[in-house]
Amino acid sequence: MIAKIIMLVVFFGIMIAIGIYCRKNATDVNGFVLGGRSVGPWLTAFAYGTSYFSAVVFIGYAGQFGWKYGIASTWIGIGNAVIGSFLAWFVLGRRTRVMTQHLDSATMPEFFGKRFNSPALKICASIIVFIFLIPYTASLYNGLSRLFAMAFDVDFKVCIVVMAILTGIYVIAGGYMATAINDFIQGCVMIVGIIAVITAVLNTNGGFGAAMDGLARINDPLVSDTPGVFASFLGPDIPNLFGVIVLTSLGTWGLPQMVQKFYAIKNESQIQKGTIISTVFALIVAGGSYFLGGFGRLFTDRLDVIDGAPAGGYDSIIPQMLSTLPDLLIGLVVILVLSASMSTLSSLVIASSSTLTIDVIKGNLIKEMDEKKQVFIIRLLIVVFIVISVLIAIFQYENNVTFIAQLMGVSWGALAGAFLAPFLYGLYWKRTTKISVWVCFIFGAGIMVVNLFARSIFPAFLQSPINCGAFAMVGGLILVPLVSLFTPKPDTAEVERMFSCYEKKKEVKSKNSLGDG
């Protein structure tokens, strides 16, 4: 216990020290929100990865989908690496960095407002961000509750309050740069931790071969009559597995806290490095988490299974798998999950508070705001956002409202369903219209709200918020071009001005170009 406490104290001490050190970079809006647009590829890639993967993935998703799909759940992690990291960087990275600087936009709602010349779009997008990031943030706290109860026997309320306060301190003090540096350190902890945990869990089951053999011997008639299905290549439920892959992988393309990482990278030449680093990170962390969760059914002796599911919920699976590990390794796991959750929490609160300040309050509620006042309000809203999410997390935990994965599914589905298609087409297609963006906002956010409160009216496949979120994203990709073709074209001169940033000539060395000869 002493060793675990020392590890936590050192971890928190480093986080706060970095926040204080980075205060000099957080004196204006550009520095506080984007790190001065001078963040290198390693910090940006790790900030992207650690914001992507949190306790929601390690505790909630890995446990739930590992139980449902067995070792096939590893495909979710592979999809996260290929679609959610590699393709996201390849498709969005350069164009996002170039156009957002050209339009002088610091947030995703501000991009929509300037790209489509609509202050109303900016305000609407900002409200969607604030509303739907809150349940996602609440889910981060819940992912820690069972782990801390297992490792320290600490009350859930104490756990989330301490985590919220410490995260708030370093984010408020140092802004984006403090978050990026801490994300790098936390990412290193996550890589080491996930490798160590997988090795230890497999060793407790006799190694990889023996663990796979044990998994192949497990049958659950409620899931499938096929023998050995949990150790199979694609698992027992391919359609639902595909829905999870789409939501958790393609969804990052439309999440403001993820896309904003491309705003801050130092220059476009750093994007190639960041793409590789981010993809490898995702393969290790996400692939490792879902691979680990795939062996959850080997630990049914520690789980009270009722009607084919753990009585304590899917969120109890991973903590029970880790409960017999050595104390120092449990301490490392706690730091791992804390790292994942605090890094994601910091990116969420910066995205939400900066959006409300820049896109709603500035110019609307307060007409004149200098840089100092904007930074002050952003910091104030960070406190408000954290307090609200803590209260929701406590209420959800005490009343057992829903699982972690469902909370995240609603949040991701609404945000990505509303933003993914307009943002992607806005970067690439000049013909995208303002009306098509409004339609996508209403469709993406609206369908998830209806799914949350009237789930029974949906077809069986779409009653899951995971599948409904995936449907919202794919639907938006169809709706935006379809509506754009049947609505008035945007002003040609204005659009050409926006896209002119892609036509600027840049001299390069001969080693990078064959030249005209």
Side-chain angles (χ1 to χ4, degrees):
M1 182 63 72
I2 293 175
K4 288 185 284 189
I5 292 175
I6 291 174
M7 291 172 70
L8 277 179
V9 171
V10 172
F11 173 76
F12 288 137
I14 293 173
M15 299 299 104
I16 293 174
I18 290 173
I20 296 172
Y21 171 78
C22 292
R23 283 182 302 172
K24 62 180 182 291
N25 297 309
T27 56
D28 59 11
V29 174
N30 189 47
F32 191 90
V33 177
L34 300 176
R37 293 188 189 264
S38 61
V39 185
W42 281 90
L43 292 185
T44 302
F46 270 65
Y48 184 92
T50 53
S51 298
Y52 194 167
F53 310 116
S54 65
V56 176
V57 171
F58 187 74
I59 301 295
Y61 271 25
Q64 175 170 345
F65 300 126
W67 184 271
K68 288 184 175 181
Y69 310 127
I71 204 67
S73 64
T74 307
W75 282 110
I76 305 172
I78 295 173
N80 293 171
V82 175
I83 302 172
S85 295
F86 177 79
L87 286 179
W89 278 74
F90 182 78
V91 175
L92 299 178
R94 179 188 178 277
R95 283 195 168 242
T96 299
R97 177 64 174 81
V98 173
M99 184 173 274
T100 56
Q101 185 172 20
H102 178 65
L103 297 179
D104 191 26
S105 61
T107 67
M108 183 179 275
E110 190 174 26
F111 168 83
F112 289 130
K114 292 186 175 181
R115 168 65 179 84
F116 299 102
N117 193 26
S118 173
L121 269 181
K122 180 179 73 171
I123 294 174
C124 179
S126 180
I127 293 172
I128 292 173
V129 169
F130 189 76
I131 290 174
F132 288 101
L133 281 186
I134 289 177
Y136 184 17
T137 308
S139 70
L140 299 180
Y141 298 117
N142 289 333
L144 290 168
S145 61
R146 299 179 188 273
L147 192 64
F148 265 77
M150 179 266 291
F152 296 100
D153 194 25
V154 176
D155 182 73
F156 172 63
K157 296 177 184 177
V158 174
C159 168
I160 66 168
V161 169
V162 170
M163 173 185 162
I165 290 174
L166 293 172
T167 305
I169 289 173
Y170 80 73
V171 174
I172 291 170
Y176 182 83
M177 187 59 75
T179 299
I181 295 174
N182 277 328
D183 286 348
F184 179 78
I185 297 172
Q186 291 162 349
C188 293
V189 172
M190 290 166 67
I191 290 174
V192 173
I194 196 67
I195 293 173
V197 168
I198 290 173
T199 303
V201 169
L202 290 179
N203 285 339
T204 61
N205 289 277
F208 176 70
M212 287 294 290
D213 181 66
L215 200 61
R217 296 175 185 275
I218 294 175
N219 293 310
D220 187 346
L222 296 175
V223 177
S224 174
D225 294 327
T226 305
V229 70
F230 296 110
S232 65
F233 186 65
L234 293 174
D237 190 353
I238 296 175
N240 280 299
L241 176 62
F242 180 75
V244 177
I245 293 172
V246 172
L247 177 77
T248 61
S249 301
L250 191 60
T252 60
W253 295 37
L255 296 180
Q257 76 273 17
M258 304 296 296
V259 173
Q260 202 163 342
K261 301 297 186 290
F262 301 134
Y263 289 39
I265 198 166
K266 188 174 183 179
N267 55 59
E268 58 188 275
S269 65
Q270 305 292 311
I271 291 175
Q272 290 183 342
K273 295 178 183 177
T275 303
I276 297 171
I277 297 166
S278 177
T279 303
V280 172
F281 181 89
L283 275 173
I284 296 173
V285 175
S289 295
Y290 288 110
F291 176 76
L292 175 67
F295 294 98
R297 286 181 179 266
L298 295 179
F299 296 83
T300 51
D301 57 323
R302 303 178 196 172
L303 299 163
D304 185 13
V305 180
I306 300 175
D307 294 330
Y314 294 114
D315 308 338
S316 66
I317 296 173
I318 297 296
Q320 287 302 317
M321 291 174 68
L322 307 176
S323 61
T324 59
L325 297 180
D327 283 345
L328 285 178
L329 192 53
I330 289 178
L332 179 61
V333 172
V334 171
I335 301 297
L336 183 163
V337 179
L338 265 177
S339 298
S341 299
M342 292 178 71
S343 57
T344 305
L345 176 62
S346 62
S347 67
L348 292 176
V349 296
I350 286 181
S352 182
S353 58
S354 61
T355 290
L356 272 185
T357 303
I358 297 170
D359 304 324
V360 177
I361 297 176
K362 180 185 176 183
N364 295 301
L365 301 180
I366 302 177
K367 296 298 181 182
E368 297 295 330
M369 289 179 66
D370 57 22
E371 293 281 324
K372 188 174 181 180
K373 183 177 289 185
Q374 289 181 60
V375 173
F376 171 77
I377 293 178
I378 291 173
R379 285 175 163 143
L380 182 64
L381 286 175
I382 287 174
V383 176
V384 173
F385 186 80
I386 289 177
V387 170
I388 293 173
S389 61
V390 165
L391 293 175
I392 291 177
I394 293 175
F395 174 80
Q396 186 275 332
Y397 179 79
E398 292 183 341
N399 294 276
N400 196 26
V401 175
T402 185
F403 291 117
I404 292 176
Q406 290 174 315
L407 273 176
M408 184 178 175
V410 171
S411 176
W412 276 46
L415 290 166
F419 297 152
L420 189 158
F423 188 77
L424 178 63
Y425 287 117
L427 291 175
Y428 277 90
W429 193 32
K430 297 178 182 179
R431 182 67 173 80
T432 310
T433 65
K434 177 168 48 178
I435 296 176
S436 72
V437 177
W438 276 113
V439 170
C440 197
F441 281 9
I442 295 169
F443 172 75
I447 196 172
M448 294 309 299
V449 171
V450 175
N451 181 271
L452 182 63
F453 293 105
R455 192 160 294 160
S456 59
I457 69 173
F458 285 81
F461 180 73
L462 293 181
Q463 288 185 10
S464 162
I466 305 294
N467 294 335
C468 191
F471 175 78
M473 293 178 216
V474 176
L477 291 172
I478 297 171
L479 278 174
V480 169
L482 192 63
V483 174
S484 294
L485 291 175
F486 290 95
T487 49
K489 292 182 179 180
D491 181 77
T492 302
E494 186 68 17
V495 172
E496 290 298 333
R497 182 189 67 80
M498 294 177 187
F499 276 77
S500 65
C501 59
Y502 299 140
E503 306 300 328
K504 292 179 181 178
K505 293 183 178 180
K506 180 180 178 182
E507 293 185 3
V508 296
K509 296 179 180 179
S510 296
K511 67 178 181 180
N512 297 325
S513 173
L514 295 177
D516 296 331

